[in-house]
Amino acid sequence: MSAFLVYLITMTGIYGIMSLSLSLQYGQTGLVNLGQVGFFMVGAYVSAIGSTILGWPIALAFVAGVLGGALFGVLMALPIGNLRQDYWAIVTIAAAELVRVIFLNTNLGSPYVGASYGITGIPSPLQGVLGGPYYGYYYLALVAACLLGCYLVVQWVSRSPFGRVLKAIRESDEVAQALGKNVRAARIWTMAIGGAIAGLGGALFSHFLGFIDPTYFMPLETFLVWAMVILGGAGNHLGALAGAIIIQLLYNGTRFIGFGEEYASLGASLRMVLIGVLIILVILYLPRGILPERRRRYGVRDAAGR
C-alpha cells in the first residue's frame, strides 16, 4: 500500500504540472488547447530519446524535453495566433494527434525501438546512487520540487504586467489591441511557456515509468487535464492543483475497487463515468470551479487621493 501511495502522489504531482500548464493557457489567456497531451508527449519522448538512444546525461535530457515542449508550443501557435478560439480547438487537437501518429510509425535506431514498441530502459536520475526501496520517495521529492517551481513561475507570470495582458486577451482580443498590445505575440509566448511546463511533466513521467509508448498519450489524457482545471477553477492555479488531486484520486485511487476478472473493463469505464458526472455537477452548481479565480478590484482615487 505504501508503494502505491507513493506512486499515486507522484503521478498527482506530474499531472499537477500538466494542469498548471493548461491553467496558464486557458485559465489566464483563454486559449482552448485540446492538444495538451502533445506537449506532454514531446517532453517525454525527447527526454527519453536523449537519455537512452543519444546517451545524454539525464539533466541534459530533461532540459531538452522542456525546450522541446516550448518549441512545439511555438510551432503550434504560429499559424493560428490570430484565429478565433474555435479554430484553436481544432488545430491543437489535430497537432497532438499528428505528433502521436508520427511517433507511432517511426522507429528510433532499430526496428524494435520506438514506433508501437515504445522506448524501454529509460534511466531515472541518481538511481544508481539512491536506488533501493526508498528511491520512490526521492523521486516524489523531485516531482514536488518541480511542481513548486512551476507553480511559482505561473504565479509570477500571472501577476506580472504580461499576465495582465493575458487576462485582457482572455476577455476580448479587441480590448488588448485597443491598448496597443500584440495579441499574437502574447499567445505565442503563452503557448511556449505552457509547453515548456508540460514538457517538464512529460520528462518526469518518462523517467519515472522507465518505459513509454504512444498508447500512453491518447486524447483521454487531455480530457483528464481539462477536467482538473474545470473542476478546480479556471484562472486559479491553486484550483488547478486541487482539481489534479481530486481527478487522480478518482482515476487511480479507485483501482482498489474490485469487479472481478469478468468485469475488469467495467471498473475502468465506471471511473470515467464518475469523472464525467462530477464535471457536469460542477458546471451546473459551481460554474467557476471549487476554488474560483479571485478577481482583483482596482479602486478609483479622487482628486484628494482618497
Side-chain angles (χ1 to χ4, degrees), residues 138-223:
Y138 160 73
Y139 206 91
L140 172 59
L142 175 63
V143 170
C146 292
L147 176 63
L148 176 61
C150 291
Y151 174 76
L152 295 176
V153 168
V154 296
Q155 281 288 88
W156 175 75
V157 171
S158 300
R159 294 177 179 178
S160 67
F162 178 68
R164 291 192 287 273
V165 173
L166 299 184
K167 291 180 181 179
I169 295 173
R170 179 185 65 185
E171 301 304 325
S172 172
D173 290 358
E174 289 76 12
V175 172
Q177 290 170 347
L179 295 173
K181 306 302 179 181
N182 190 329
V183 173
R184 184 171 185 270
R187 285 174 168 170
I188 293 173
W189 273 107
T190 303
M191 292 295 285
I193 297 171
I197 293 173
L200 174 61
L204 289 168
F205 178 77
S206 65
H207 289 277
F208 177 57
L209 296 185
F211 169 79
I212 56 171
D213 70 55
T215 61
Y216 287 11
F217 306 98
M218 302 295 288
L220 171 64
E221 306 304 319
T222 295
F223 166 76

Side-chain angles (χ1 to χ4, degrees), residues 27-39:
Q28 293 294 313
T29 319
L31 300 179
V32 183
N33 178 13
L34 297 184
Q36 188 68 13
V37 72
F39 304 107

